[in-house]
Amino acid sequence: MRRIGVLTAFHSQTYIEEAVNELDHIEFIYLPYERPSQIIELYKKYEYKVDGFLLSGIYTQSVLIQEFQQLRVPIVYLDVSEGDFYQELFNVARVSGLNLNRVIIDFLTIENNYMGLKQMVSKEERPYIYSDNFTDYLHETVYENLIHFHVSLWEKGEVDLSITRMSNVVDELKSRGINTLFLFPSEGSIQQSVQTLIHQIQEKKLQNNQTVVGHITGIQERTNQIRIELIKQFEQQYGYSFLIHNNYPEIEIITTFGELKQITNDFTSCSLSLFLTEQLQEELHVGWGTGKSLHQARLHAETASRQEMGSYILTESDLIGPMQGKPSTLNRDVPAGTQLINISEQSGLTILQLQKIQAALIRGGTDLISSEELAFYLSVTIRSANRILKKLEEANLANVSLKRQERLRGRPKKIYKINI
């Protein structure tokens, strides 16, 4: 089952619920906000708990992009098509006979090409707009600013209708006696956006599971054993899962694209390289390769490792590097601080154990896991994994979600849903 976070303005939630309530095999987690600053808080809180985010509009996406530049999970925002827009305008004009130049449409900007209106009507016939540039909306006081904009024009007697996409201003405008039309995507458009998001989630999961090969070579003449031991230490300490081959003088690591993105902080710095360099006090050649096959990934890794000293990634189209940013894995982007301390006290598990469990869930792309899978990711016995799951269950941080029968033989396996 896919888990989708719905980041929506508080007053838009009902519209989305009505459109998606019959969609199967999807769990929607509604995250309504009343202030723009809450968008950032909600995204940070649920980033690792959902497969993707459905956003109620381009405004929500713009706030996130301005804050994060790059988002870890797929997002799709709901948009009003030009067809829906003109149908509403036609209905309003047909019923009330309003002149367009006595209407406020507060979401027309250069970014959406003014929904084509500038090409269709003369300057004298155009509606009032809040701003030509969408960046003027990206402020904490945007709701107050929009309300003031609408009210001031109404008090001057210059408009007869206000059309808005900002649902959080609608009640205030109506309470002031302002004739307000809230425009929102149609039910069919919302459902299509959900399907687009599901497709993106599936593509990302396939990409994250793509095989990646790493080649590591040191400049000092020594056996690889100490280097391999340190790689294993790094692997266990930070919750990764490598296949390591000693191909002296090189060391080959096989991992996944998803893990590579975490190790390299989205291809900006290689924490494994920094860790080994610090521990070994030697410079290393580190090359990572991706490809459509294991053979191609190996060839790319070999080519990347032959570059100058440092860490490089060779994909099917790009050579990235040297990656010289600050280490990322040593401060992995998993929930920490007070939240983890509280969970640790509640469950009796160590913070390191909890971080490894979180990393396992992130790599698997789901909050469901069996004791066998947990044992593999944590490098512990199945009995130890069962004890860990039992502690989480007793602390109400996990519950048996379903039982899976393997080949119709033996006892069905318990699958736990984790909430940390």
Side-chain angles (χ1 to χ4, degrees):
M1 177 177 287
R2 300 299 182 189
R3 205 176 200 193
I4 293 178
V6 183
L7 258 174
T8 174
F10 184 81
H11 291 86
S12 299
Q13 179 173 332
T14 302
Y15 294 88
I16 300 174
E17 286 179 328
E18 290 175 352
V20 304
N21 62 2
E22 294 184 1
L23 296 181
D24 296 327
H25 308 300
I26 303 173
E27 179 185 0
F28 292 97
I29 301 174
Y30 290 93
L31 310 171
Y33 61 84
E34 295 185 342
R35 304 296 311 171
S37 58
Q38 293 175 312
I39 297 172
I40 307 300
E41 297 169 5
L42 289 167
Y43 178 84
K44 288 180 177 178
K45 183 175 181 180
Y46 286 89
E47 179 184 10
Y48 289 94
K49 296 181 180 180
V50 297
D51 299 307
F53 285 96
L54 182 69
L55 313 180
S56 58
I58 190 173
Y59 177 76
T60 313
Q61 174 182 268
S62 299
V63 171
L64 291 175
I65 295 297
Q66 184 184 51
E67 175 72 16
F68 298 107
Q69 305 300 317
Q70 189 173 18
L71 303 175
R72 190 188 67 83
V73 297
I75 64 170
V76 168
Y77 69 87
L78 301 177
D79 200 12
V80 174
S81 68
E82 285 194 13
D84 290 340
F85 174 68
Y86 285 110
Q87 182 177 341
E88 286 290 345
L89 282 187
F90 174 77
N91 290 336
V92 169
R94 180 171 55 83
V95 172
S96 60
L98 287 175
N99 293 322
L100 199 57
N101 60 2
R102 290 189 59 80
V103 176
I104 298 173
I105 306 179
D106 67 13
F107 56 88
L108 300 183
T109 66
I110 192 171
E111 284 83 0
N112 59 24
N113 193 33
Y114 306 97
M115 302 299 280
L117 272 180
K118 274 199 171 184
Q119 290 79 29
M120 298 178 63
V121 298
S122 66
K123 186 175 182 180
E124 293 73 23
E125 297 174 302
R126 292 172 189 167
Y128 290 94
I129 65 173
Y130 175 69
S131 174
D132 288 295
N133 300 308
F134 196 74
T135 52
D136 291 336
Y137 293 75
L138 302 179
H139 300 285
E140 181 65 13
T141 58
V142 62
Y143 298 142
E144 290 81 0
N145 296 344
L146 281 171
I147 290 168
H148 175 75
F149 172 70
H150 284 269
V151 170
S152 62
L153 287 172
W154 274 84
E155 288 178 343
K156 294 175 184 177
E158 297 182 6
V159 294
D160 302 309
L161 175 66
S162 287
I163 303 178
T164 184
R165 275 282 281 118
M166 293 286 198
S167 65
N168 283 354
V169 307
V170 173
D171 286 350
E172 180 64 22
L173 294 180
K174 288 184 175 180
S175 71
R176 294 172 182 253
I178 292 175
N179 184 19
T180 306
L181 172 63
F182 172 55
L183 207 56
F184 202 70
S186 64
E187 183 174 301
S189 177
I190 294 172
Q191 293 173 354
Q192 182 59 49
S193 295
V194 172
Q195 294 307 317
T196 299
L197 179 57
I198 292 296
H199 182 68
Q200 289 185 13
I201 291 170
Q202 291 169 340
E203 281 189 337
K204 186 175 181 66
K205 188 166 185 178
L206 287 174
Q207 183 189 47
N208 284 341
N209 289 332
Q210 181 184 16
T211 298
V212 168
V213 175
H215 278 191
I216 299 175
T217 307
I219 62 172
Q220 295 182 12
E221 291 189 7
R222 59 168 69 169
T223 66
N224 276 338
Q225 195 56 45
I226 187 170
R227 296 173 182 138
I228 290 174
E229 289 303 317
L230 285 170
I231 292 171
K232 289 180 178 178
Q233 180 182 330
F234 176 90
E235 173 191 20
Q236 294 185 8
Q237 186 170 346
Y238 299 110
Y240 292 110
S241 180
F242 301 151
L243 290 177
I244 306 170
H245 298 144
N246 186 354
N247 299 331
Y248 186 82
E250 295 178 340
I251 297 172
E252 180 183 82
I253 296 175
I254 299 178
T255 183
T256 64
F257 187 84
E259 289 207 332
L260 178 63
K261 288 184 68 177
Q262 293 179 30
I263 293 168
T264 62
N265 191 25
D266 288 326
F267 307 150
T268 59
S269 63
C270 182
S271 291
L272 175 59
S273 174
L274 292 166
F275 177 84
L276 294 175
T277 299
E278 181 180 346
Q279 297 294 323
L280 294 167
Q281 295 297 302
E282 72 168 322
E283 295 297 323
L284 299 168
H285 288 278
V286 180
W288 299 97
T290 70
K292 294 181 179 178
S293 66
L294 179 60
H295 176 67
Q296 188 179 48
R298 280 190 169 124
L299 291 177
H300 287 171
E302 289 174 6
T303 302
S305 67
R306 288 198 294 267
Q307 307 304 310
E308 296 177 0
M309 201 68 65
S311 302
Y312 292 81
I313 300 170
L314 182 59
T315 69
E316 294 178 65
S317 57
D318 298 300
L319 177 65
I320 304 169
M323 294 178 288
Q324 297 175 329
K326 295 180 180 179
S328 60
T329 304
L330 305 184
N331 297 290
R332 294 188 66 177
D333 292 327
V334 294
T338 304
Q339 182 181 0
L340 268 192
I341 293 172
N342 292 338
I343 293 176
S344 175
E345 293 175 352
Q346 183 180 353
S347 64
L349 299 173
T350 67
I351 291 177
L352 181 57
Q353 284 176 314
L354 294 170
Q355 287 176 325
K356 287 186 175 183
I357 294 169
Q358 289 171 331
L361 298 176
I362 292 168
R363 287 202 303 275
T366 177
D367 56 2
L368 301 176
I369 198 166
S370 68
S371 57
E372 290 81 3
E373 291 165 336
L374 187 63
F376 171 78
Y377 284 124
L378 270 57
S379 298
V380 298
T381 64
I382 294 177
R383 179 176 294 181
S384 296
N386 277 323
R387 283 199 293 266
I388 291 172
L389 289 168
K390 185 66 175 177
K391 287 185 177 181
L392 290 173
E393 191 176 16
E394 290 172 350
N396 294 320
L397 298 169
N399 61 280
V400 178
S401 178
L402 55 93
K403 293 185 178 182
R404 185 170 60 204
Q405 188 80 25
E406 303 290 347
R407 297 188 182 92
L408 301 179
R409 292 184 180 181
R411 297 171 62 186
K413 293 181 180 179
K414 292 182 179 179
I415 307 299
Y416 288 83
K417 182 174 184 179
I418 310 297
N419 181 31
I420 60 173

